[in-house]
Structure formats: structure tokens, C-alpha cells
Amino acid sequence: MGAPRLSQPTPAVRGTGLEPGRLLAAVDAAVSYYRAQLAHADAPRAYLAERGLGVLVRREWPWRVGYAPPGWSALTGHLRAAGFTPEELIGAGLSARTRTGPDRLIDVFRDRVMFPVRDPAGHPVAFLGRSGPCAGDVPKYLNNPRTAIYNKRHLLFGLAEQQDRITAGWTPVLVEGPADVLAVWLSYSRSGRTGAVALAPCGTTLSDAQAHILRSLPGAARGLVTAFDADPAGHAAVDRAWHLLRHPRCPGPLLAAEFSAGADPADLLRAPHGRARLRAALQRRTQPMLDTVVDHRLNRLVERHPRLLEDIDGRCAAVRALVPLLFEATSPQEAIRVARRIVAHTGVGVDTVATAAIAHLEGLLNDLGSPGERRQPRR
């Protein structure tokens, strides 16, 4: 039997008009159901152990990681028997109708390791579902649809569960997903040290609202760190984080810790002495985030034009592409450091960078003073 086609419910925000308390109760019941399923699911348990997260099978709190079984409507049937209506299950983003059978409900999450997402008050409001070890050609992560109690752009995974570390002023670290959050959390579970607290966007790129949350954390005065894969997606995530976090200015330095290609904090956790190595990577092996953004931009240029830096024309073109980043520096000292980095990477003289910077600034001033933009003063 082929997979039924899901019917998108209306209105676009599920659960509108329903009692929020019932939606919260449905999600909480789903957390308990998924948690119970994990106890009997060998493959997901083995997957968590292989990722260095086996302790989450034995230890329920605070994360309550679970497993959605592969049946079409296992959760739906369980919650319907518990008294939840179809509208409530759809409104909570747990069930969906099919186009071929509108009266038939099926589970939104099937054969996935389930990570509950909590609101600031600690209530579970949604899930991030990681595909099972034996899953076919399906998305790696499936995010809960938007509901009346959940907007993925307004929450960070791991915020509610780590309030003790956040209140204590631990340094915030932005990572890609829930496995990375848990890897960092575990790396400090027996260290007895103040350190880094990892948070992740809920299955999406960093949003303005999430950037505001990060800047507002007590530990942001120590600095904010990004920790992503050293691949194109990870580079893009760092670049976006820089542009969102620098305005308004963060109270502490913006730093980046990159990992080798194809690796991430969860991968490093599994390596020999992984916990200590992960702590070191996040606290002692970082560099200013703007330096990383400069490197990414130059790398993309060289990938598109492999011989770019072989002659003076190409090197000057690279300088012109990098110079706008000088004007994103948060201090004169940072601008000087970035200028020196451009000189070192491109092999040009300081005067070439200075000339390009002046030309860029003149262009900005000309744009501001163009007839279409400037209002003539009254005489």
C-alpha cells in the first residue's frame, strides 16, 4: 500500500479556535506515548547509543526523548482512545487527514526518534522527529507543523530544559539540531565546570526572534558561539547568524567554532575523549565570527573561480568582494584585524585594501546622495 497523501488543513495555523489547554494536553500525552515506545524499539535505542546518546534511553528527564512507531495511526488511535477529538489532534500537529479519505486520520510522525520542543514555561508544544535508522528516502528531520501553541521561529530547542545552566550565565552556543544540543549537554554532565550551553533552531534557519532570544541570555555577555559543520550548509548558517546577531550589537563577542567536513558536535562526542575534546572546541578553539565569514566568502569565490588569486586582477577582484565586510565590523580594532586578514588571504598590499575600502565607501555615499533618495532643502 502506498503512502496516503496528506490533506493540508485550514486555517493555515492549526488549532486556531480550539482550547489551548487541550492542545497542550494532547502534545504532553504524545510525549508520554513516544517515551513508552522507545523502551521496546531496539533500532532507535541502538541509534542513540551509537551517537553517544544512550544515556537518554535510561534517563527520561529533562529531555524525554521518545520514538514514533512506523504504523500509520498508532499515536492517533492511542490518543483517540484517551478522549482527544480529531480536531484537537490535527490542531496539535500530531495527526493529519488524507486527501483520499478525509475522514481517516494518520500520524504525522512515523518511525522517527522524537525530540519534544518546549515553550518558555516548560510545556511540550511540538516535536522534532529524526528519521529512523532503517528509514528510506525521507527527510532526515521532520518539524512539527505550525499550530496555535507552536511557532518554530519563536522557540529554541533546549532552552527550557537547561534553565539552570542558562541562569548561571553559561556561554550560549548555536548548533544545528537536537543531537548537537544533547551532545554539548552531555559533555558537561560530569565535568563540574561552568561552560557552554547549546541551543538549536527548531528545524529552520535562525530567525530574528531567535537571534533576539540568544542576545538576551545572561551568558551572552561572555560571548555567543556558533558550532556548525564545515560544509556549505554550515557555512551559510554561520553567515546568517553573523548578520542577525550583530544588530543590535551583542553584549559579548561573536565567535565561531567550526568542525571538520561532515562532522558536528554530536560526531565529536563519539570520538575518543569526545567530551573533553568537545568542550575544548567550544571554549578554546574558536575565532571571531566575522573572520569566519570573511573566509567563507573568499572560499566561495575561489570555488567558482579556481584561478582567481593567480594574478593581480583576480586578487583585486577578490579584495573588492571582501571589503564590504570591513564595514560590518563592530569596532575599529575589528575592522583593522579584518583588513589584515584580507591582505594575508589575497596577497595584496594594505594600500590596495585601503583604496578598495574608500571606493566602496564613496559608492555608499553616492547612493545616499542620489537625486532619487535626497530631499532638497527648502530655501
Side-chain angles (χ1 to χ4, degrees):
M1 177 181 177
R5 292 178 297 171
L6 300 185
S7 174
Q8 295 298 322
T10 55
V13 178
R14 297 161 175 82
T16 302
L18 296 174
E19 168 57 43
R22 291 291 292 172
L23 302 182
L24 290 171
V27 176
D28 190 62
V31 172
S32 297
Y33 175 80
Y34 290 144
R35 181 68 191 173
Q37 297 304 303
L38 182 63
H40 310 289
D42 293 339
R45 288 158 60 94
Y47 161 77
L48 289 170
E50 192 269 335
R51 296 300 306 269
L53 305 176
V55 66
L56 301 174
V57 176
R58 304 184 301 274
R59 181 174 174 179
E60 179 171 0
W61 299 91
W63 301 100
R64 304 196 73 191
V65 174
Y67 174 65
W72 288 114
S73 56
L75 175 71
T76 299
H78 174 78
L79 295 184
R80 290 283 286 120
F84 292 98
T85 67
E87 290 73 22
E88 289 168 342
L89 298 183
I90 294 171
L94 302 172
S95 304
R97 290 191 171 94
T98 67
R99 294 179 183 176
T100 54
D103 294 333
R104 179 190 176 200
L105 292 187
I106 63 171
D107 296 346
V108 169
F109 298 98
R110 302 181 300 276
D111 189 21
R112 289 183 178 270
V113 176
M114 302 298 287
F115 301 95
V117 178
R118 300 179 182 275
D119 65 13
H123 302 125
V125 293
F127 293 94
L128 297 174
R130 197 341 179 143
S131 59
C134 302
D137 186 18
V138 297
K140 180 178 177 180
Y141 276 99
L142 181 62
N143 188 34
N144 207 99
R146 183 180 175 184
T147 70
I149 59 172
Y150 173 63
N151 184 335
K152 65 183 181 181
R153 301 182 66 82
H154 293 170
L155 296 176
L156 288 165
F157 178 82
L159 193 67
E161 293 87 348
Q162 302 179 94
Q163 279 301 310
D164 55 343
R165 298 181 178 187
I166 290 170
T167 303
W170 287 32
T171 303
V173 177
L174 182 66
V175 297
E176 181 180 1
D180 298 319
V181 170
L182 294 166
V184 176
W185 178 74
L186 283 171
S187 73
Y188 287 95
S189 63
R190 295 196 297 265
S191 71
R193 305 174 183 176
T194 298
V197 55
L199 304 162
C202 295
T204 184
T205 57
L206 187 69
S207 69
D208 287 317
Q210 291 163 338
H212 174 73
I213 294 172
L214 288 167
R215 283 193 302 267
S216 302
L217 297 178
R222 297 173 179 263
L224 278 170
V225 181
T226 58
F228 295 103
D229 290 5
D231 58 18
H235 292 173
V238 174
D239 296 352
R240 178 173 177 79
W242 163 256
H243 289 294
L244 289 180
L245 291 170
R246 68 187 184 93
H247 287 307
R249 185 173 178 178
C250 183
L254 296 176
L255 305 170
E258 288 194 355
F259 299 86
S260 59
D264 53 29
D267 292 320
L268 189 56
L269 179 69
R270 294 180 294 167
H273 309 292
R275 295 190 181 197
R277 290 174 61 185
L278 181 51
R279 292 195 299 269
L282 296 177
Q283 292 188 274
R284 297 194 296 272
R285 298 174 187 167
T286 61
Q287 68 177 14
M289 199 180 299
L290 182 54
D291 289 7
T292 301
V293 174
V294 171
D295 295 350
H296 292 171
R297 183 170 294 186
L298 180 59
N299 290 340
R300 285 194 293 269
L301 288 170
V302 173
E303 286 173 2
R304 290 197 296 268
H305 309 285
R307 305 183 66 178
L308 180 69
L309 302 181
E310 293 182 6
D311 57 55
I312 188 61
D313 290 339
R315 291 195 290 271
C316 288
V319 169
R320 289 193 296 272
L322 297 175
V323 149
L325 294 174
L326 282 175
F327 297 90
E328 296 186 9
T330 56
S331 69
Q333 294 77 16
E334 185 170 52
I336 292 171
R337 190 191 68 243
V338 170
R340 289 173 175 166
R341 194 174 193 86
I342 294 173
V343 168
H345 285 353
T346 60
V348 302
V350 175
D351 56 337
T352 302
V353 175
T355 300
I358 292 170
H360 179 73
L361 183 58
E362 288 176 344
L364 295 176
L365 294 174
N366 288 336
D367 290 342
L368 290 174
S370 62
E373 298 291 336
R374 184 178 58 194
R375 181 185 295 273
Q376 295 294 333
R378 287 187 173 182
R379 294 183 181 274

